[in-house]
Amino acid sequence: MSKKLQGNGLFESSRMMLPEHKEAYLRLQQNLHKNPRPQLDEQETDRISMLLAESMRFRKEVTLILFGEWDRPELAGVVTKMDQQQKKVRLTQGNDFLWVKIADIIDAVLK
């Protein structure tokens, strides 16, 4: 019995495992490695808001670090508009722009 639980024991000890079960198990293992959403305190939220406002006021480039389940994507650009009702920020990158949810921003750095 103990030999069955060595190495890749879960799959080797169960010869009747269906492919669907194996896929579900692998997805579960992958989901265990997701990044949890950080809870920002009030001071950090205020600091990020001030940097966004400074970028908009002085046309300074800012790098936004966003929440992602698997990684931490970064976007660089100038904040050109803040929509308080929809809680979004318009980030302009050259001639293009995109809207970023304020809730997804976990850090900001002025350049």
PDB file of all heavy atoms in Angstrom, residues 2-34:
ATOM      1  N   SER A   2       1.962   1.254   0.724  1.00  0.00           N
ATOM      2  CA  SER A   2       2.775   2.459   0.804  1.00  0.00           C
ATOM      3  C   SER A   2       3.475   2.751  -0.515  1.00  0.00           C
ATOM      4  O   SER A   2       3.777   3.896  -0.799  1.00  0.00           O
ATOM      5  CB  SER A   2       3.795   2.334   1.936  1.00  0.00           C
ATOM      6  OG  SER A   2       4.707   1.297   1.650  1.00  0.00           O
ATOM      7  N   LYS A   3       3.736   1.730  -1.322  1.00  0.00           N
ATOM      8  CA  LYS A   3       4.372   1.965  -2.616  1.00  0.00           C
ATOM      9  C   LYS A   3       3.440   2.731  -3.553  1.00  0.00           C
ATOM     10  O   LYS A   3       3.885   3.482  -4.399  1.00  0.00           O
ATOM     11  CB  LYS A   3       4.781   0.649  -3.260  1.00  0.00           C
ATOM     12  CG  LYS A   3       5.962  -0.016  -2.600  1.00  0.00           C
ATOM     13  CD  LYS A   3       6.374  -1.244  -3.358  1.00  0.00           C
ATOM     14  CE  LYS A   3       7.564  -1.901  -2.680  1.00  0.00           C
ATOM     15  NZ  LYS A   3       8.008  -3.085  -3.416  1.00  0.00           N
ATOM     16  N   LYS A   4       2.147   2.538  -3.392  1.00  0.00           N
ATOM     17  CA  LYS A   4       1.195   3.237  -4.255  1.00  0.00           C
ATOM     18  C   LYS A   4       1.168   4.739  -3.992  1.00  0.00           C
ATOM     19  O   LYS A   4       0.775   5.512  -4.841  1.00  0.00           O
ATOM     20  CB  LYS A   4      -0.207   2.680  -4.047  1.00  0.00           C
ATOM     21  CG  LYS A   4      -0.398   1.303  -4.620  1.00  0.00           C
ATOM     22  CD  LYS A   4      -1.826   0.869  -4.451  1.00  0.00           C
ATOM     23  CE  LYS A   4      -2.020  -0.506  -5.035  1.00  0.00           C
ATOM     24  NZ  LYS A   4      -3.415  -0.933  -4.897  1.00  0.00           N
ATOM     25  N   LEU A   5       1.551   5.138  -2.802  1.00  0.00           N
ATOM     26  CA  LEU A   5       1.490   6.552  -2.451  1.00  0.00           C
ATOM     27  C   LEU A   5       2.816   7.269  -2.657  1.00  0.00           C
ATOM     28  O   LEU A   5       2.974   8.398  -2.239  1.00  0.00           O
ATOM     29  CB  LEU A   5       1.030   6.705  -1.003  1.00  0.00           C
ATOM     30  CG  LEU A   5      -0.372   6.174  -0.727  1.00  0.00           C
ATOM     31  CD1 LEU A   5      -0.714   6.329   0.733  1.00  0.00           C
ATOM     32  CD2 LEU A   5      -1.405   6.853  -1.589  1.00  0.00           C
ATOM     33  N   GLN A   6       3.764   6.650  -3.305  1.00  0.00           N
ATOM     34  CA  GLN A   6       5.046   7.296  -3.572  1.00  0.00           C
ATOM     35  C   GLN A   6       5.029   7.904  -4.967  1.00  0.00           C
ATOM     36  O   GLN A   6       4.281   7.472  -5.840  1.00  0.00           O
ATOM     37  CB  GLN A   6       6.190   6.278  -3.463  1.00  0.00           C
ATOM     38  CG  GLN A   6       6.391   5.766  -2.050  1.00  0.00           C
ATOM     39  CD  GLN A   6       7.456   4.677  -1.981  1.00  0.00           C
ATOM     40  OE1 GLN A   6       7.920   4.201  -3.000  1.00  0.00           O
ATOM     41  NE2 GLN A   6       7.823   4.307  -0.773  1.00  0.00           N
ATOM     42  N   GLY A   7       5.883   8.885  -5.178  1.00  0.00           N
ATOM     43  CA  GLY A   7       5.989   9.519  -6.491  1.00  0.00           C
ATOM     44  C   GLY A   7       4.715  10.267  -6.829  1.00  0.00           C
ATOM     45  O   GLY A   7       4.287  11.157  -6.121  1.00  0.00           O
ATOM     46  N   ASN A   8       4.091   9.875  -7.897  1.00  0.00           N
ATOM     47  CA  ASN A   8       2.845  10.484  -8.342  1.00  0.00           C
ATOM     48  C   ASN A   8       1.685   9.627  -7.847  1.00  0.00           C
ATOM     49  O   ASN A   8       0.856   9.164  -8.611  1.00  0.00           O
ATOM     50  CB  ASN A   8       2.853  10.597  -9.865  1.00  0.00           C
ATOM     51  CG  ASN A   8       1.785  11.516 -10.375  1.00  0.00           C
ATOM     52  OD1 ASN A   8       1.127  12.178  -9.595  1.00  0.00           O
ATOM     53  ND2 ASN A   8       1.603  11.537 -11.677  1.00  0.00           N
ATOM     54  N   GLY A   9       1.624   9.431  -6.564  1.00  0.00           N
ATOM     55  CA  GLY A   9       0.740   8.462  -5.930  1.00  0.00           C
ATOM     56  C   GLY A   9      -0.725   8.653  -6.202  1.00  0.00           C
ATOM     57  O   GLY A   9      -1.463   7.687  -6.332  1.00  0.00           O
ATOM     58  N   LEU A  10      -1.198   9.881  -6.307  1.00  0.00           N
ATOM     59  CA  LEU A  10      -2.624  10.099  -6.498  1.00  0.00           C
ATOM     60  C   LEU A  10      -3.097   9.477  -7.799  1.00  0.00           C
ATOM     61  O   LEU A  10      -4.134   8.827  -7.850  1.00  0.00           O
ATOM     62  CB  LEU A  10      -2.941  11.591  -6.489  1.00  0.00           C
ATOM     63  CG  LEU A  10      -4.404  11.959  -6.689  1.00  0.00           C
ATOM     64  CD1 LEU A  10      -5.235  11.418  -5.526  1.00  0.00           C
ATOM     65  CD2 LEU A  10      -4.565  13.436  -6.792  1.00  0.00           C
ATOM     66  N   PHE A  11      -2.329   9.621  -8.867  1.00  0.00           N
ATOM     67  CA  PHE A  11      -2.745   9.087 -10.154  1.00  0.00           C
ATOM     68  C   PHE A  11      -2.322   7.633 -10.317  1.00  0.00           C
ATOM     69  O   PHE A  11      -3.002   6.861 -10.968  1.00  0.00           O
ATOM     70  CB  PHE A  11      -2.180   9.941 -11.284  1.00  0.00           C
ATOM     71  CG  PHE A  11      -2.669  11.355 -11.229  1.00  0.00           C
ATOM     72  CD1 PHE A  11      -1.801  12.403 -11.047  1.00  0.00           C
ATOM     73  CD2 PHE A  11      -4.009  11.636 -11.327  1.00  0.00           C
ATOM     74  CE1 PHE A  11      -2.258  13.694 -10.972  1.00  0.00           C
ATOM     75  CE2 PHE A  11      -4.484  12.936 -11.268  1.00  0.00           C
ATOM     76  CZ  PHE A  11      -3.602  13.971 -11.093  1.00  0.00           C
ATOM     77  N   GLU A  12      -1.200   7.239  -9.754  1.00  0.00           N
ATOM     78  CA  GLU A  12      -0.732   5.873  -9.893  1.00  0.00           C
ATOM     79  C   GLU A  12      -1.541   4.901  -9.051  1.00  0.00           C
ATOM     80  O   GLU A  12      -1.713   3.755  -9.427  1.00  0.00           O
ATOM     81  CB  GLU A  12       0.749   5.787  -9.516  1.00  0.00           C
ATOM     82  CG  GLU A  12       1.641   6.483 -10.522  1.00  0.00           C
ATOM     83  CD  GLU A  12       3.088   6.510 -10.084  1.00  0.00           C
ATOM     84  OE1 GLU A  12       3.424   5.872  -9.075  1.00  0.00           O
ATOM     85  OE2 GLU A  12       3.870   7.184 -10.763  1.00  0.00           O
ATOM     86  N   SER A  13      -2.054   5.354  -7.912  1.00  0.00           N
ATOM     87  CA  SER A  13      -2.790   4.450  -7.042  1.00  0.00           C
ATOM     88  C   SER A  13      -4.246   4.303  -7.472  1.00  0.00           C
ATOM     89  O   SER A  13      -4.919   3.396  -7.030  1.00  0.00           O
ATOM     90  CB  SER A  13      -2.736   4.938  -5.594  1.00  0.00           C
ATOM     91  OG  SER A  13      -3.426   6.160  -5.486  1.00  0.00           O
ATOM     92  N   SER A  14      -4.719   5.151  -8.340  1.00  0.00           N
ATOM     93  CA  SER A  14      -6.105   5.077  -8.789  1.00  0.00           C
ATOM     94  C   SER A  14      -6.110   4.870 -10.295  1.00  0.00           C
ATOM     95  O   SER A  14      -6.050   5.808 -11.074  1.00  0.00           O
ATOM     96  CB  SER A  14      -6.831   6.362  -8.423  1.00  0.00           C
ATOM     97  OG  SER A  14      -8.137   6.295  -8.916  1.00  0.00           O
ATOM     98  N   ARG A  15      -6.192   3.648 -10.701  1.00  0.00           N
ATOM     99  CA  ARG A  15      -6.157   3.319 -12.134  1.00  0.00           C
ATOM    100  C   ARG A  15      -7.453   3.690 -12.835  1.00  0.00           C
ATOM    101  O   ARG A  15      -7.501   3.732 -14.042  1.00  0.00           O
ATOM    102  CB  ARG A  15      -5.891   1.828 -12.318  1.00  0.00           C
ATOM    103  CG  ARG A  15      -4.612   1.360 -11.708  1.00  0.00           C
ATOM    104  CD  ARG A  15      -3.445   1.820 -12.519  1.00  0.00           C
ATOM    105  NE  ARG A  15      -2.218   1.321 -11.893  1.00  0.00           N
ATOM    106  CZ  ARG A  15      -1.074   1.898 -12.008  1.00  0.00           C
ATOM    107  NH1 ARG A  15      -0.958   2.994 -12.721  1.00  0.00           N
ATOM    108  NH2 ARG A  15      -0.017   1.410 -11.428  1.00  0.00           N
ATOM    109  N   MET A  16      -8.501   3.955 -12.080  1.00  0.00           N
ATOM    110  CA  MET A  16      -9.799   4.238 -12.677  1.00  0.00           C
ATOM    111  C   MET A  16     -10.094   5.737 -12.742  1.00  0.00           C
ATOM    112  O   MET A  16     -11.221   6.133 -12.899  1.00  0.00           O
ATOM    113  CB  MET A  16     -10.909   3.539 -11.877  1.00  0.00           C
ATOM    114  CG  MET A  16     -10.822   2.039 -11.891  1.00  0.00           C
ATOM    115  SD  MET A  16     -10.969   1.366 -13.550  1.00  0.00           S
ATOM    116  CE  MET A  16     -12.639   1.809 -13.919  1.00  0.00           C
ATOM    117  N   MET A  17      -9.091   6.572 -12.605  1.00  0.00           N
ATOM    118  CA  MET A  17      -9.320   8.017 -12.642  1.00  0.00           C
ATOM    119  C   MET A  17      -9.678   8.444 -14.066  1.00  0.00           C
ATOM    120  O   MET A  17      -8.962   8.150 -15.013  1.00  0.00           O
ATOM    121  CB  MET A  17      -8.082   8.766 -12.164  1.00  0.00           C
ATOM    122  CG  MET A  17      -8.311  10.251 -12.087  1.00  0.00           C
ATOM    123  SD  MET A  17      -7.031  11.103 -11.226  1.00  0.00           S
ATOM    124  CE  MET A  17      -7.462  10.715  -9.558  1.00  0.00           C
ATOM    125  N   LEU A  18     -10.776   9.151 -14.183  1.00  0.00           N
ATOM    126  CA  LEU A  18     -11.229   9.640 -15.482  1.00  0.00           C
ATOM    127  C   LEU A  18     -10.430  10.878 -15.887  1.00  0.00           C
ATOM    128  O   LEU A  18      -9.954  11.623 -15.027  1.00  0.00           O
ATOM    129  CB  LEU A  18     -12.708   9.991 -15.417  1.00  0.00           C
ATOM    130  CG  LEU A  18     -13.660   8.825 -15.138  1.00  0.00           C
ATOM    131  CD1 LEU A  18     -15.074   9.353 -14.947  1.00  0.00           C
ATOM    132  CD2 LEU A  18     -13.616   7.814 -16.249  1.00  0.00           C
ATOM    133  N   PRO A  19     -10.289  11.113 -17.165  1.00  0.00           N
ATOM    134  CA  PRO A  19      -9.565  12.313 -17.617  1.00  0.00           C
ATOM    135  C   PRO A  19     -10.189  13.603 -17.082  1.00  0.00           C
ATOM    136  O   PRO A  19      -9.479  14.555 -16.779  1.00  0.00           O
ATOM    137  CB  PRO A  19      -9.667  12.246 -19.139  1.00  0.00           C
ATOM    138  CG  PRO A  19      -9.928  10.827 -19.450  1.00  0.00           C
ATOM    139  CD  PRO A  19     -10.666  10.262 -18.280  1.00  0.00           C
ATOM    140  N   GLU A  20     -11.508  13.632 -16.944  1.00  0.00           N
ATOM    141  CA  GLU A  20     -12.179  14.819 -16.410  1.00  0.00           C
ATOM    142  C   GLU A  20     -11.768  15.068 -14.969  1.00  0.00           C
ATOM    143  O   GLU A  20     -11.612  16.205 -14.539  1.00  0.00           O
ATOM    144  CB  GLU A  20     -13.706  14.659 -16.482  1.00  0.00           C
ATOM    145  CG  GLU A  20     -14.252  14.618 -17.893  1.00  0.00           C
ATOM    146  CD  GLU A  20     -14.217  13.205 -18.483  1.00  0.00           C
ATOM    147  OE1 GLU A  20     -13.916  12.238 -17.761  1.00  0.00           O
ATOM    148  OE2 GLU A  20     -14.489  13.085 -19.676  1.00  0.00           O
ATOM    149  N   HIS A  21     -11.601  13.983 -14.203  1.00  0.00           N
ATOM    150  CA  HIS A  21     -11.176  14.122 -12.813  1.00  0.00           C
ATOM    151  C   HIS A  21      -9.750  14.644 -12.728  1.00  0.00           C
ATOM    152  O   HIS A  21      -9.432  15.483 -11.884  1.00  0.00           O
ATOM    153  CB  HIS A  21     -11.291  12.798 -12.066  1.00  0.00           C
ATOM    154  CG  HIS A  21     -12.699  12.329 -11.909  1.00  0.00           C
ATOM    155  ND1 HIS A  21     -13.011  11.024 -11.645  1.00  0.00           N
ATOM    156  CD2 HIS A  21     -13.875  12.988 -11.990  1.00  0.00           C
ATOM    157  CE1 HIS A  21     -14.326  10.898 -11.557  1.00  0.00           C
ATOM    158  NE2 HIS A  21     -14.866  12.078 -11.776  1.00  0.00           N
ATOM    159  N   LYS A  22      -8.906  14.137 -13.605  1.00  0.00           N
ATOM    160  CA  LYS A  22      -7.510  14.589 -13.617  1.00  0.00           C
ATOM    161  C   LYS A  22      -7.438  16.076 -13.977  1.00  0.00           C
ATOM    162  O   LYS A  22      -6.706  16.839 -13.337  1.00  0.00           O
ATOM    163  CB  LYS A  22      -6.692  13.764 -14.605  1.00  0.00           C
ATOM    164  CG  LYS A  22      -5.226  14.099 -14.606  1.00  0.00           C
ATOM    165  CD  LYS A  22      -4.445  13.188 -15.529  1.00  0.00           C
ATOM    166  CE  LYS A  22      -2.977  13.567 -15.533  1.00  0.00           C
ATOM    167  NZ  LYS A  22      -2.191  12.714 -16.404  1.00  0.00           N
ATOM    168  N   GLU A  23      -8.215  16.500 -14.987  1.00  0.00           N
ATOM    169  CA  GLU A  23      -8.231  17.913 -15.379  1.00  0.00           C
ATOM    170  C   GLU A  23      -8.750  18.795 -14.248  1.00  0.00           C
ATOM    171  O   GLU A  23      -8.211  19.874 -13.988  1.00  0.00           O
ATOM    172  CB  GLU A  23      -9.090  18.106 -16.622  1.00  0.00           C
ATOM    173  CG  GLU A  23      -8.484  17.525 -17.874  1.00  0.00           C
ATOM    174  CD  GLU A  23      -9.441  17.557 -19.048  1.00  0.00           C
ATOM    175  OE1 GLU A  23     -10.441  18.313 -18.997  1.00  0.00           O
ATOM    176  OE2 GLU A  23      -9.196  16.841 -20.028  1.00  0.00           O
ATOM    177  N   ALA A  24      -9.791  18.338 -13.568  1.00  0.00           N
ATOM    178  CA  ALA A  24     -10.339  19.114 -12.450  1.00  0.00           C
ATOM    179  C   ALA A  24      -9.321  19.218 -11.319  1.00  0.00           C
ATOM    180  O   ALA A  24      -9.183  20.276 -10.699  1.00  0.00           O
ATOM    181  CB  ALA A  24     -11.625  18.470 -11.945  1.00  0.00           C
ATOM    182  N   TYR A  25      -8.613  18.146 -11.048  1.00  0.00           N
ATOM    183  CA  TYR A  25      -7.588  18.171 -10.008  1.00  0.00           C
ATOM    184  C   TYR A  25      -6.464  19.132 -10.377  1.00  0.00           C
ATOM    185  O   TYR A  25      -5.998  19.912  -9.544  1.00  0.00           O
ATOM    186  CB  TYR A  25      -7.030  16.767  -9.779  1.00  0.00           C
ATOM    187  CG  TYR A  25      -5.882  16.740  -8.811  1.00  0.00           C
ATOM    188  CD1 TYR A  25      -6.109  16.852  -7.446  1.00  0.00           C
ATOM    189  CD2 TYR A  25      -4.569  16.623  -9.259  1.00  0.00           C
ATOM    190  CE1 TYR A  25      -5.062  16.849  -6.553  1.00  0.00           C
ATOM    191  CE2 TYR A  25      -3.515  16.624  -8.373  1.00  0.00           C
ATOM    192  CZ  TYR A  25      -3.759  16.731  -7.018  1.00  0.00           C
ATOM    193  OH  TYR A  25      -2.716  16.739  -6.133  1.00  0.00           O
ATOM    194  N   LEU A  26      -6.021  19.117 -11.622  1.00  0.00           N
ATOM    195  CA  LEU A  26      -4.956  20.012 -12.058  1.00  0.00           C
ATOM    196  C   LEU A  26      -5.402  21.475 -12.014  1.00  0.00           C
ATOM    197  O   LEU A  26      -4.634  22.349 -11.631  1.00  0.00           O
ATOM    198  CB  LEU A  26      -4.484  19.633 -13.462  1.00  0.00           C
ATOM    199  CG  LEU A  26      -3.777  18.283 -13.565  1.00  0.00           C
ATOM    200  CD1 LEU A  26      -3.475  17.947 -15.019  1.00  0.00           C
ATOM    201  CD2 LEU A  26      -2.514  18.257 -12.725  1.00  0.00           C
ATOM    202  N   ARG A  27      -6.680  21.749 -12.381  1.00  0.00           N
ATOM    203  CA  ARG A  27      -7.201  23.112 -12.274  1.00  0.00           C
ATOM    204  C   ARG A  27      -7.244  23.574 -10.823  1.00  0.00           C
ATOM    205  O   ARG A  27      -6.926  24.711 -10.509  1.00  0.00           O
ATOM    206  CB  ARG A  27      -8.598  23.201 -12.873  1.00  0.00           C
ATOM    207  CG  ARG A  27      -8.600  23.696 -14.314  1.00  0.00           C
ATOM    208  CD  ARG A  27      -9.990  23.831 -14.775  1.00  0.00           C
ATOM    209  NE  ARG A  27     -10.424  22.440 -14.707  1.00  0.00           N
ATOM    210  CZ  ARG A  27     -11.585  21.932 -14.993  1.00  0.00           C
ATOM    211  NH1 ARG A  27     -12.509  22.658 -15.350  1.00  0.00           N
ATOM    212  NH2 ARG A  27     -11.877  20.675 -14.926  1.00  0.00           N
ATOM    213  N   LEU A  28      -7.632  22.670  -9.933  1.00  0.00           N
ATOM    214  CA  LEU A  28      -7.665  23.006  -8.510  1.00  0.00           C
ATOM    215  C   LEU A  28      -6.269  23.343  -8.004  1.00  0.00           C
ATOM    216  O   LEU A  28      -6.085  24.319  -7.286  1.00  0.00           O
ATOM    217  CB  LEU A  28      -8.238  21.842  -7.704  1.00  0.00           C
ATOM    218  CG  LEU A  28      -8.231  22.005  -6.192  1.00  0.00           C
ATOM    219  CD1 LEU A  28      -9.192  23.108  -5.783  1.00  0.00           C
ATOM    220  CD2 LEU A  28      -8.572  20.709  -5.508  1.00  0.00           C
ATOM    221  N   GLN A  29      -5.282  22.558  -8.388  1.00  0.00           N
ATOM    222  CA  GLN A  29      -3.909  22.822  -7.969  1.00  0.00           C
ATOM    223  C   GLN A  29      -3.417  24.148  -8.532  1.00  0.00           C
ATOM    224  O   GLN A  29      -2.707  24.890  -7.867  1.00  0.00           O
ATOM    225  CB  GLN A  29      -2.983  21.681  -8.414  1.00  0.00           C
ATOM    226  CG  GLN A  29      -3.208  20.391  -7.667  1.00  0.00           C
ATOM    227  CD  GLN A  29      -2.969  20.554  -6.179  1.00  0.00           C
ATOM    228  OE1 GLN A  29      -2.002  21.150  -5.752  1.00  0.00           O
ATOM    229  NE2 GLN A  29      -3.891  20.028  -5.399  1.00  0.00           N
ATOM    230  N   GLN A  30      -3.808  24.455  -9.753  1.00  0.00           N
ATOM    231  CA  GLN A  30      -3.404  25.721 -10.365  1.00  0.00           C
ATOM    232  C   GLN A  30      -4.068  26.893  -9.654  1.00  0.00           C
ATOM    233  O   GLN A  30      -3.445  27.932  -9.432  1.00  0.00           O
ATOM    234  CB  GLN A  30      -3.776  25.718 -11.839  1.00  0.00           C
ATOM    235  CG  GLN A  30      -3.206  26.866 -12.614  1.00  0.00           C
ATOM    236  CD  GLN A  30      -3.544  26.781 -14.083  1.00  0.00           C
ATOM    237  OE1 GLN A  30      -4.624  26.318 -14.449  1.00  0.00           O
ATOM    238  NE2 GLN A  30      -2.639  27.217 -14.923  1.00  0.00           N
ATOM    239  N   ASN A  31      -5.332  26.751  -9.269  1.00  0.00           N
ATOM    240  CA  ASN A  31      -6.050  27.827  -8.588  1.00  0.00           C
ATOM    241  C   ASN A  31      -5.494  28.098  -7.205  1.00  0.00           C
ATOM    242  O   ASN A  31      -5.679  29.186  -6.665  1.00  0.00           O
ATOM    243  CB  ASN A  31      -7.536  27.512  -8.495  1.00  0.00           C
ATOM    244  CG  ASN A  31      -8.231  27.652  -9.833  1.00  0.00           C
ATOM    245  OD1 ASN A  31      -7.727  28.307 -10.729  1.00  0.00           O
ATOM    246  ND2 ASN A  31      -9.373  27.021  -9.968  1.00  0.00           N
ATOM    247  N   LEU A  32      -4.815  27.141  -6.609  1.00  0.00           N
ATOM    248  CA  LEU A  32      -4.218  27.351  -5.298  1.00  0.00           C
ATOM    249  C   LEU A  32      -3.071  28.353  -5.360  1.00  0.00           C
ATOM    250  O   LEU A  32      -2.693  28.924  -4.348  1.00  0.00           O
ATOM    251  CB  LEU A  32      -3.721  26.033  -4.711  1.00  0.00           C
ATOM    252  CG  LEU A  32      -4.806  25.021  -4.336  1.00  0.00           C
ATOM    253  CD1 LEU A  32      -4.170  23.720  -3.859  1.00  0.00           C
ATOM    254  CD2 LEU A  32      -5.729  25.585  -3.281  1.00  0.00           C
ATOM    255  N   HIS A  33      -2.529  28.579  -6.563  1.00  0.00           N
ATOM    256  CA  HIS A  33      -1.387  29.475  -6.724  1.00  0.00           C
ATOM    257  C   HIS A  33      -1.789  30.861  -7.217  1.00  0.00           C
ATOM    258  O   HIS A  33      -0.941  31.653  -7.612  1.00  0.00           O
ATOM    259  CB  HIS A  33      -0.361  28.855  -7.675  1.00  0.00           C
ATOM    260  CG  HIS A  33       0.186  27.560  -7.176  1.00  0.00           C
ATOM    261  ND1 HIS A  33       1.010  27.473  -6.087  1.00  0.00           N
ATOM    262  CD2 HIS A  33      -0.008  26.294  -7.591  1.00  0.00           C
ATOM    263  CE1 HIS A  33       1.318  26.214  -5.865  1.00  0.00           C
ATOM    264  NE2 HIS A  33       0.707  25.473  -6.764  1.00  0.00           N
ATOM    265  N   LYS A  34      -3.082  31.174  -7.189  1.00  0.00           N
ATOM    266  CA  LYS A  34      -3.527  32.511  -7.591  1.00  0.00           C
ATOM    267  C   LYS A  34      -3.081  33.529  -6.547  1.00  0.00           C
ATOM    268  O   LYS A  34      -2.990  33.237  -5.366  1.00  0.00           O
ATOM    269  CB  LYS A  34      -5.050  32.562  -7.686  1.00  0.00           C
ATOM    270  CG  LYS A  34      -5.628  31.918  -8.895  1.00  0.00           C
ATOM    271  CD  LYS A  34      -7.125  32.140  -8.920  1.00  0.00           C
ATOM    272  CE  LYS A  34      -7.760  31.493 -10.110  1.00  0.00           C
ATOM    273  NZ  LYS A  34      -9.220  31.683 -10.097  1.00  0.00           N
TER     274      LYS A  34
END
